[in-house]
Amino acid sequence: MESCIFCRIAGGAIPTAFVHEDGDAVAFRDIQPQAPVHLLVVPRRHVASLREADDEALLGRLLAAARQAAAKAGLEQYRVVINTGADAGQAVFHLHLHVLGGRRMAWPPG
Ligand code: AMP
């Protein structure tokens, strides 16, 4: 999708250093990190949000990509977050997994 920032990053239109990439997904550093390590794992295929994600096998591979990206970034302990919908904090409507680590996390989240 031409207008989607994460499609443009995943497709190479916006040069970005990938922490991890595979056939399904790319992982790169968040531009406004909320933790010492803050990665985004983004499917190459445009899916607006988890609500629209109908490919369960892809969802499994995205979790595996998150695990690999975390390992490549040196994280052993981390949190994976998927904001779904504006009220949940989703601002970019291309499915993405946040991988946050490098500090102790609070619970409940805000
Ligand atoms: P969300 O609020 O769950 O939709 O998360 C979107 C995330 O994308 C935010 O944490 C932003 O800081 C991040 N973001 C937006 N544009 C970029 C970009 N060009 N490169 C890296 N991260 C971005």
Side-chain angles (χ1 to χ4, degrees), residues 5-6 9 28-32 38 40 83 89-92 96 98:
I5 181 94
F6 287 175
I9 290 174
F28 52 91
R29 293 185 190 276
D30 196 291
I31 204 168
Q32 281 191 294
H38 184 173
L40 298 173
N83 296 326
Q90 186 175 8
V92 177
H96 51 282
H98 296 259

Side-chain angles (χ1 to χ4, degrees), residues 49-98:
S49 81
L50 184 59
R51 209 174 44 225
E52 286 82 15
D54 53 7
D55 184 343
E56 293 183 4
L58 174 64
L59 291 175
R61 293 195 296 273
L62 290 173
L63 268 186
R67 183 181 57 199
Q68 290 181 63
K72 287 178 179 176
L75 294 176
E76 291 185 354
Q77 303 185 65
Y78 50 89
R79 180 174 290 175
V80 177
V81 173
I82 305 176
N83 296 326
T84 305
D87 281 358
Q90 186 175 8
V92 177
F93 283 82
H94 179 130
L95 175 64
H96 51 282
L97 289 67
H98 296 259

